[in-house]
Amino acid sequence: MEYLEQSFSVKFDYKVFFTTSLFKPDNFTLANFILSVPAKIRRKILFVVDEGVAIAHPDLKASIKEYFKVYQEIQLVEDILIIPGGEAAKNNPELFEKLIAAVDTYGIDRHSYIAAIGGGAVLDLVGYAAAVSHRGVKHIRIPTTVLSQNDSGVGVKNGINFKGKKNFTGTFSPPAAVFNDAEFLLSLTDRDYYAGISEAVKVALIKDEAFFEWLEAHASSLAERNSKQMNVLIKRCAALHLAHISSADPFEMGSSRPLDFGHWAAHKIEQLSHFSILHGEAVAMGIALDSTYSYLIGLITEEKLQRILNVLQVFFELTHPLIQIQDLNAPVLKGLAEFQEHLGGELTITLLSDIGKGQEVHQIDSDLLIAASNYVMEFTRQPQSLSL
Amino acid sequence: MEYLEQSFSVKFDYKVFFTTSLFKPDNFTLANFILSVPAKIRRKILFVVDEGVAIAHPDLKASIKEYFKVYQEIQLVEDILIIPGGEAAKNNPELFEKLIAAVDTYGIDRHSYIAAIGGGAVLDLVGYAAAVSHRGVKHIRIPTTVLSQNDSGVGVKNGINFKGKKNFTGTFSPPAAVFNDAEFLLSLTDRDYYAGISEAVKVALIKDEAFFEWLEAHASSLAERNSKQMNVLIKRCAALHLAHISSADPFEMGSSRPLDFGHWAAHKIEQLSHFSILHGEAVAMGIALDSTYSYLIGLITEEKLQRILNVLQVFFELTHPLIQIQDLNAPVLKGLAEFQEHLGGELTITLLSDIGKGQEVHQIDSDLLIAASNYVMEFTRQPQSLSL
């Protein structure tokens, strides 16, 4: 058999910056980053802003324009695009096409930047459009929610939905840089603010017992929106997320995806709720279900399970008619097959073998899922534990 | 300035197989490849075939079905999709959407394969759809033209056009494997057969003097469609292409693109001709123009230039009204700016400093391009050199 063999490695690196007031003219963080990359022509940057962020920060457009008046070496595209945010943005292929057309209209090339300011959905959509334009325009992420600052925004994935199926099309494309500005969190509703905490609980549960204990200890002050503690949470969660990506299989060529603990059910109930349940809320419910399943098959003790459910309950409803599994026809169960199909290969579900330790299994017993769902429902009917 | 730093490498490898009669049941090449990848569930494969290939090989569908009856461990998707080929396929976004819908309909997951059989355009289109489905379904390329077997089909790029702009959206995504079947070349028209030779001349000119001498020596037998010599050409050209990708900047993060020698004009005249000029034909004209420009600025001797033009003339018309530059308003000149925009950064054009040696320049003098264009026109009016 005659053949030629090709083999090469591609190196990717990027920084995740933590700052406040990113567009204050004396904040050098963003301008320094862009100017630090050698370029022989003037660098161009196009901003795309989440509509919700633009409404909550009516001065944002003007601030961006003022900022780049100070840093004239960078060519700001005069039009700042505003696009609808939230999961609905990922269901609308016209928004994707609008972004591709903007790359053409504004002459954005492979050494220009497209910067997205917004929640995870806008970052996913803009990141995907940037990744495929000219086979990859540099993409800067400026996440504005807890969830995107500690999780999706610092990772390497992007994508949009197809016929309601989450992230059906997308790529693995590391950003050029990420800028986490703590100020954006101040304008979030409590619901959006809390929603981001479930990914921190998740990554603590599968990777970092000490972080889980920290979350237990600081749950009340996080619930009161203590900024200092929230910054600690975001930085630690982002660091765990980055470490996971670089240590394992960044572009997920295998079938394992431990960071998706709790996500098979979460993805499905988001879709079943027509995205009225937020991703973070769905993940909290998914964690509750799969932690309980881990207890029922003997992987963790009931005491540890209840610690988990108690922390989650500070921020979230842990059950919902869409995740209640009364029999084998419960629609959420379809999420298992869809999860397997998206990753391909064998079914691989992460459970817990301890607090701070994920464990993969390749089979899930639906009858035990019914029992787990009933346990969570029963638990949430009790008066909340006073241990926190 | 507070930040976290992310850094990782991703390794890519794939084989380019050379075979004949790929779907003869006793040809193990394809089945062995698929079965050599460990997988715990039955691997699925979906075929997408270039309409032109399906017409030229009316038994192809049946042969594929017979083949996978022998290799039952692989699950062939019963429906074999036929899509129009040629550059027009890349201008039609509905074909791209049809392929994404097929991934959904047939339950193709990240460990399944989408195999494309066809010319470069079909491979580019199907490769792009595979690359973004589930953030990357495994893609097998079965190129059926000289051009795709020696050049585009063995590389890492895919893409489709946007408003007629070539490869405006696409990705860098290495294939899972490439299978070059010499039998497909037999049914090509002379025009398609010859068109693939220009990329071999190109890579010889910028990288391999001995290969250029081989091309000079074998031009007549290649013109007579000698299969043995064509197989030598394809393998050597593919090897040079692969070596270039792995040695330099596989995902083109810089601004240099030496393999695009002759391509700034080629891309533009393809578009101006509404793709009635084939890519390979346009590249031959682009090589003639840029080789002549190299001579006019003193990089190569006139004798070497004429050797280049003589080899090209065996297979190609070297000029065409669309590439004739009479003044600074000639439409093809817009190709320079568009080429720069697609790559980004500084204008970087590869010229020749010798036969077998490319040299990058960052400025092109339009008046000298007019002179180069006139030289080529004059040269082609002469009776063909007898030196071959």
Side-chain angles (χ1 to χ4, degrees):
Chain A
M1 201 166 47
E2 230 187 326
Y3 62 84
L4 295 169
E5 192 145 20
Q6 175 69 303
S7 180
F8 58 83
S9 288
V10 180
K11 194 165 183 286
F12 298 93
D13 39 53
Y14 61 93
K15 291 193 176 84
V16 178
F17 296 93
F18 296 86
T19 187
T20 50
S21 307
L22 185 64
F23 296 109
K24 257 182 89 170
D26 62 357
N27 186 334
F28 306 128
T29 320
L30 175 60
N32 274 2
F33 164 74
I34 296 176
L35 295 171
S36 71
V37 180
K40 289 189 181 154
I41 59 163
R42 196 154 165 242
R43 302 154 191 86
K44 204 185 265 186
I45 187 165
L46 168 68
F47 277 86
V48 184
V49 181
D50 190 321
E51 193 172 41
V53 176
I55 291 169
H57 302 267
D59 297 335
L60 183 60
K61 263 187 166 185
S63 306
I64 294 172
K65 290 187 182 188
E66 283 305 310
Y67 187 81
F68 287 98
K69 277 188 192 148
V70 179
Y71 302 98
Q72 297 263 354
E73 311 94 301
I74 304 163
Q75 184 190 344
L76 173 69
V77 173
E78 193 63 19
D79 293 341
I80 291 175
L81 308 185
I82 309 286
I83 61 171
E87 194 65 30
K90 293 172 68 174
N91 285 322
N92 181 356
E94 279 171 29
L95 289 176
F96 174 76
E97 277 153 41
K98 185 179 160 177
L99 292 167
I100 301 294
V103 171
D104 186 27
T105 306
Y106 299 113
I108 301 300
D109 67 28
R110 222 184 262 171
H111 294 269
S112 303
Y113 294 89
I114 301 182
I117 305 179
V122 163
L123 303 185
D124 275 0
L125 165 65
V126 179
Y128 178 41
V132 299
S133 294
H134 298 301
R135 299 198 185 100
V137 163
K138 289 174 197 283
H139 175 47
I140 287 175
R141 296 210 196 114
I142 304 172
T144 57
T145 62
V146 175
L147 183 64
S148 53
Q149 290 197 358
N150 72 11
D151 185 81
S152 61
V154 305
V156 298
K157 299 190 215 176
N158 57 50
I160 58 176
N161 307 333
F162 177 73
K163 295 187 185 167
K165 291 195 178 175
K166 274 207 76 158
N167 300 321
F168 196 86
T169 54
T171 70
F172 292 97
S173 301
V178 181
F179 296 87
N180 276 345
D181 181 343
E183 221 171 65
F184 282 117
L185 305 182
L186 302 178
S187 61
L188 294 177
T189 62
D190 281 350
R191 196 179 164 199
D192 281 318
Y193 190 89
Y194 290 163
I197 294 172
S198 60
E199 295 285 0
V201 175
K202 177 206 73 181
V203 77
L205 285 174
I206 57 176
K207 291 193 174 275
D208 188 342
E209 186 183 5
F211 185 32
F212 183 78
E213 285 164 1
W214 182 93
L215 287 166
E216 282 183 307
H218 297 86
S220 330
S221 67
L222 288 166
E224 289 158 9
R225 301 183 61 154
N226 177 305
S227 288
K228 198 172 144 244
Q229 304 303 355
M230 180 50 92
N231 290 341
V232 174
L233 175 147
I234 285 175
K235 201 163 172 194
R236 183 128 170 202
C237 187
L240 285 165
H241 198 87
L242 291 171
H244 174 77
I245 291 169
S246 57
S247 70
D249 177 13
F251 291 175
E252 295 178 9
M253 292 165 180
S255 294
S256 163
R257 206 150 87 165
L259 286 183
D260 274 355
F261 173 55
H263 277 56
W264 70 266
H267 283 162
K268 191 64 194 171
I269 59 173
E270 272 187 88
Q271 186 203 344
L272 290 171
S273 78
H274 304 288
F275 301 100
S276 67
I277 298 177
L278 299 177
H279 180 69
E281 294 169 339
V283 167
M285 294 180 208
I287 293 173
L289 184 69
D290 286 356
S291 299
T292 307
Y293 187 94
S294 303
Y295 155 63
L296 291 178
I297 64 168
L299 285 175
I300 58 170
T301 64
E302 187 164 23
E303 180 258 334
K304 288 182 178 174
L305 169 63
Q306 297 206 349
R307 281 171 62 199
I308 297 168
L309 298 179
N310 278 330
V311 168
L312 289 171
Q313 256 198 151
V314 174
F315 310 101
F316 300 102
E317 301 287 335
L318 296 192
T319 186
H320 183 281
L322 288 174
I323 204 172
Q324 285 159 12
I325 307 171
Q326 301 303 326
D327 56 49
L328 301 179
N329 298 320
V332 68
L333 288 175
K334 289 214 179 75
L336 278 172
E338 287 173 13
F339 187 75
Q340 177 177 9
E341 199 167 281
H342 188 70
L343 270 69
E346 204 179 12
L347 177 69
T348 303
I349 296 289
T350 298
L351 296 175
L352 298 180
S353 62
D354 199 349
I355 286 178
K357 207 162 157 31
Q359 175 169 325
E360 291 183 353
V361 301
H362 300 291
Q363 222 174 336
I364 292 287
D365 178 330
S366 298
D367 289 321
L368 280 177
L369 277 178
I370 295 175
S373 173
N374 286 332
Y375 185 103
V376 176
M377 282 166 70
E378 191 58 39
F379 182 88
T380 57
R381 277 197 209 102
Q382 296 164 9
Q384 190 168 340
S385 154
L386 296 175
S387 67
L388 285 170
Chain B
M1 201 167 43
E2 230 187 327
Y3 62 84
L4 295 169
E5 192 144 20
Q6 176 69 304
S7 179
F8 58 84
S9 288
V10 180
K11 192 164 183 286
F12 298 94
D13 39 52
Y14 61 93
K15 291 193 176 84
V16 178
F17 296 92
F18 296 86
T19 187
T20 50
S21 307
L22 186 64
F23 296 109
K24 255 181 90 173
D26 61 358
N27 186 334
F28 306 127
T29 319
L30 176 59
N32 274 2
F33 164 73
I34 297 176
L35 295 172
S36 72
V37 180
K40 287 188 183 154
I41 58 161
R42 202 156 161 238
R43 302 153 190 87
K44 206 184 264 185
I45 187 165
L46 169 69
F47 277 86
V48 185
V49 181
D50 191 319
E51 193 171 39
V53 177
I55 291 168
H57 302 268
D59 297 335
L60 182 60
K61 261 188 168 185
S63 305
I64 295 171
K65 290 187 182 188
E66 283 304 311
Y67 187 79
F68 287 98
K69 277 189 191 147
V70 178
Y71 303 98
Q72 296 263 352
E73 311 93 302
I74 304 163
Q75 185 189 344
L76 173 69
V77 173
E78 194 61 20
D79 293 342
I80 291 174
L81 307 184
I82 309 287
I83 61 170
E87 194 65 29
K90 292 172 69 174
N91 285 323
N92 181 356
E94 279 171 28
L95 289 176
F96 174 75
E97 276 154 41
K98 185 180 159 175
L99 292 168
I100 301 294
V103 171
D104 186 27
T105 306
Y106 299 113
I108 302 301
D109 66 29
R110 222 185 262 171
H111 294 268
S112 303
Y113 295 89
I114 300 182
I117 305 179
V122 163
L123 303 185
D124 275 0
L125 165 64
V126 179
Y128 179 41
V132 299
S133 294
H134 298 302
R135 300 198 185 99
V137 163
K138 290 173 196 284
H139 175 47
I140 287 175
R141 296 210 195 113
I142 304 171
T144 57
T145 63
V146 174
L147 183 63
S148 53
Q149 288 196 1
N150 72 11
D151 186 80
S152 60
V154 306
V156 298
K157 299 190 215 175
N158 57 50
I160 58 176
N161 307 333
F162 177 73
K163 296 185 185 167
K165 292 197 178 174
K166 275 208 74 159
N167 301 322
F168 197 86
T169 53
T171 69
F172 293 97
S173 302
V178 181
F179 295 87
N180 275 345
D181 182 343
E183 221 170 67
F184 282 117
L185 306 181
L186 302 178
S187 61
L188 294 176
T189 62
D190 281 351
R191 195 178 165 200
D192 281 317
Y193 189 90
Y194 290 163
I197 294 173
S198 60
E199 296 285 358
V201 175
K202 176 206 73 181
V203 77
L205 285 173
I206 56 177
K207 291 193 174 274
D208 187 342
E209 185 182 6
F211 184 32
F212 183 78
E213 285 164 0
W214 183 91
L215 286 166
E216 282 182 306
H218 296 87
S220 332
S221 67
L222 287 166
E224 289 159 8
R225 299 185 62 153
N226 178 307
S227 288
K228 201 173 141 242
Q229 304 301 356
M230 180 48 92
N231 290 340
V232 173
L233 176 147
I234 285 175
K235 201 165 171 188
R236 184 129 169 199
C237 187
L240 285 164
H241 198 86
L242 291 171
H244 173 78
I245 292 169
S246 57
S247 71
D249 178 14
F251 292 175
E252 295 177 10
M253 292 166 180
S255 294
S256 161
R257 206 149 86 165
L259 285 183
D260 274 354
F261 173 55
H263 278 56
W264 72 264
H267 283 160
K268 190 65 195 173
I269 59 172
E270 270 187 272
Q271 187 202 343
L272 291 170
S273 78
H274 303 289
F275 301 100
S276 68
I277 298 176
L278 298 177
H279 179 70
E281 293 168 341
V283 168
M285 296 179 206
I287 293 172
L289 185 69
D290 286 357
S291 298
T292 307
Y293 187 95
S294 303
Y295 155 64
L296 292 177
I297 63 170
L299 286 175
I300 60 171
T301 65
E302 187 163 26
E303 180 258 335
K304 286 184 179 174
L305 169 63
Q306 296 205 350
R307 282 172 60 199
I308 296 168
L309 298 179
N310 277 330
V311 167
L312 289 170
Q313 254 196 155
V314 175
F315 310 102
F316 301 102
E317 301 287 337
L318 296 191
T319 187
H320 183 282
L322 289 173
I323 205 172
Q324 285 158 14
I325 307 171
Q326 301 303 330
D327 55 51
L328 300 179
N329 298 319
V332 68
L333 288 175
K334 290 215 177 76
L336 277 172
E338 286 173 14
F339 188 75
Q340 178 178 8
E341 197 167 283
H342 187 69
L343 270 68
E346 204 180 14
L347 177 70
T348 303
I349 296 289
T350 298
L351 296 174
L352 297 180
S353 63
D354 199 349
I355 286 178
K357 208 163 153 34
Q359 175 169 324
E360 292 184 351
V361 301
H362 300 289
Q363 223 173 336
I364 292 288
D365 179 327
S366 297
D367 289 322
L368 280 177
L369 276 179
I370 295 175
S373 173
N374 287 333
Y375 185 102
V376 176
M377 282 165 70
E378 193 57 42
F379 182 88
T380 57
R381 279 197 209 99
Q382 298 163 8
Q384 189 168 342
S385 153
L386 296 173
S387 68
L388 283 170

